[in-house]
Amino acid sequence: RTCALRGLGDRRMPALLYKLTPGDKGTNQAILELHVFGMKTAAAEALLMSAADAIASDLGLENRLIHINSIGAGESAERYLREVISFLHKQSEYLTLAQQERIQDDPLGTLLSLRGGKMNSILMRAPSSMDYLSEEERRHFWDVLEYLELAGKVYELTPSIVGSSDCWSHTLFEMTYPSIAAVEPAEENAIPVRIPFALGGRYDTLATKSLGPGSTAVQVALTFGLKTSSMPHMKKSKWKPTAYLAHLGLEAKRHSIPILEILRIAEIPVYHSLAYDQLAPQMAIVKQLNIPWLLLMGHKEALANEVVVRNIRSNAQESIPIPNLA
C-alpha cells in the first residue's frame, strides 16, 4: 500500500526496493527483503535469486541449493487446490483431528504441516502443482529455470514448496545450505539436514489488491545472524558505476545475469535495466546518467558469448569475449 501511494510499481517503470528489519527479540538476527515491482517476466525471479545467492556466498554459505516450484494462478491454481483437498480427505486416517479440521479452510497449510518425520511419505504422494499449469504458466516457469541454468545456479524441482493462492502465484522458491552436522560423517541412510536461509516468490495476487489489476511483484526474504545486536547500516557502494549493461532480445537478457555476477565478483559496479525489453528506454537512461562506457549485448553477441564495449564519447567500440570482460 505504501508503494502504491508513492507511485512505485508503475508498470511503465519497475521499482527495485529493499527492507531491512530485526528478527524476533533475543535471536540476534536480521531479515533482508528484496522486492521487484512491475516486472512480469522471469527475469525478476532470476534477478532476486541471483542476488540472494550472491549475498549468501559473501556470508560464507557453501553448497547452496534452490528448491523451486510453480503453483500457477487462477483456474490452474483452483484445480490444484481441489486435488489437494481430495487427496487430504483420503489420508484423513493418518492426520490429527486438528489437521482434518483445517483441510477445507487451509489445504496448503495442512499439506505443509506434513513436512518432516513419518508424515513426509504422505507429502511425497501428494498432487504436484506443476501438473496443473497452463501452457503460458509452464513457459514462464521454464524461462525461470533457463535463467538459473545460464547463471550456473544449482536447483531442484520441489513440489512441496507451496503457498496460499490468496497471496502467491506462479514461482515459489526456498534456498538452503547443509548444516554442519550434515557434512560430517553421518549414519547410513540418514537424510542430510538443509537449513533454509531465504524464501521468496511471485506475489502478483497480493500486489493486485493494492496496485490494481495486472500488477506484478516478486520478493525474496533472507534471514541471517548478526555478530552484534545492532542493525547494520545499508551503505551505498563507494564506487560510482561508470558503465551501463544494455541488452536487446530475450537471449541477451538471459545472459545478462551471469555477466553482472562476473563483474560483481571483480568489484566492477555497473548500471543495468533488466526490467526493460526494448533498447530505447535503456539508451535514454544511458544518456541521462552521462557515463563514459556502454556494455551492449544483442542476440548475435549472446550466441557468440561476447559483449560490445563502447566508449560513448568517442563511439569507439570492441567486441570482448565474456570470460575476458572483467
Side-chain angles (χ1 to χ4, degrees):
R1 291 193 183 105
T2 302
C3 293
L5 289 172
R6 294 184 182 182
L8 298 170
D10 184 318
R11 285 178 291 283
R12 294 166 299 174
M13 181 65 70
L16 310 180
L17 306 172
Y18 74 84
K19 179 183 178 183
L20 184 65
T21 55
D24 296 334
K25 289 183 179 179
T27 61
N28 232 25
Q29 288 185 330
I31 299 169
L32 174 64
E33 297 177 25
L34 305 176
H35 296 258
V36 177
F37 290 101
M39 190 170 170
K40 66 180 181 179
T41 65
E45 288 99 319
L47 184 62
L48 288 189
M49 280 187 273
S50 295
D53 190 64
I55 292 169
S57 176
D58 286 350
L59 291 173
L61 303 183
E62 299 180 352
N63 299 311
R64 301 175 302 282
L65 177 63
I66 300 172
H67 308 263
I68 191 167
N69 189 28
S70 176
I71 61 170
E75 290 183 12
S76 59
E78 289 174 7
R79 287 198 306 272
Y80 169 61
L81 280 179
R82 287 196 296 269
E83 288 299 318
V84 169
I85 291 171
S86 174
F87 170 79
L88 289 172
H89 280 309
K90 293 175 183 176
Q91 311 300 320
S92 59
E93 63 181 293
Y94 305 108
L95 306 181
T96 65
L97 182 60
Q99 287 172 327
Q100 293 176 37
E101 292 175 345
R102 189 181 177 186
I103 291 175
Q104 207 63 39
D105 294 331
D106 186 13
L108 294 181
T110 308
L111 196 65
L112 287 175
S113 71
L114 304 179
R115 292 178 77 171
K118 296 178 181 179
M119 305 297 280
N120 208 49
S121 59
I122 297 176
L123 184 62
M124 298 295 286
R125 300 196 304 271
S128 170
S129 57
M130 284 183 277
D131 293 337
Y132 301 89
L133 300 180
S134 67
E135 191 58 37
E136 184 180 353
E137 292 164 348
R138 202 176 297 276
R139 261 199 315 272
H140 179 90
F141 188 51
W142 295 136
D143 277 348
V144 174
L145 299 183
E146 188 148 3
Y147 272 104
L148 295 179
E149 292 274 359
L150 281 172
K153 305 303 178 188
V154 182
Y155 70 89
E156 68 175 27
L157 302 180
T158 310
S160 61
I161 303 294
V162 294
S164 171
S165 56
D166 291 336
C167 172
W168 305 101
S169 60
H170 305 293
T171 316
L172 283 172
F173 58 88
E174 178 179 272
M175 305 175 73
T176 65
Y177 67 96
S179 69
I180 295 174
V183 297
E184 293 175 350
E187 295 179 10
E188 191 176 353
N189 299 325
I191 299 174
V193 177
R194 299 198 65 89
I195 310 298
F197 66 86
L199 299 166
R202 183 169 285 278
Y203 61 103
D204 295 355
T205 306
L206 188 60
T208 297
K209 295 175 183 176
S210 294
L211 300 174
S215 298
T216 62
V218 189
Q219 73 124 5
V220 62
L222 297 99
T223 303
F224 54 92
L226 301 174
K227 292 181 180 178
T228 67
S229 58
S230 60
M231 287 291 290
H233 295 289
M234 297 294 282
K235 296 179 180 179
K236 289 188 177 180
S237 171
K238 61 184 177 182
W239 298 293
K240 184 179 179 182
T242 56
Y244 183 100
L245 176 63
H247 64 276
L248 179 61
L250 179 58
E251 202 61 38
K253 180 183 278 195
R254 286 172 175 160
H255 280 77
S256 293
I257 288 181
I259 290 173
L260 289 171
E261 180 63 6
I262 289 170
L263 298 177
R264 184 194 74 84
I265 291 172
E267 297 187 343
I268 302 172
V270 293
Y271 294 107
H272 71 83
S273 297
L274 281 180
Y276 292 102
D277 293 321
Q278 304 299 321
L279 187 59
Q282 297 178 72
M283 298 308 294
I285 295 173
V286 172
K287 186 176 181 180
Q288 180 184 354
L289 291 171
N290 191 30
I291 52 177
W293 297 99
L294 172 67
L295 311 179
L296 180 62
M297 174 177 272
H299 184 74
K300 183 181 77 172
E301 288 78 21
L303 294 180
N305 207 34
E306 295 178 341
V307 175
V308 173
V309 179
R310 179 185 299 171
N311 185 311
I312 294 173
R313 287 158 192 167
S314 68
N315 264 339
Q317 68 181 42
E318 184 179 355
S319 293
I320 304 293
I322 290 175
N324 301 336
L325 183 60

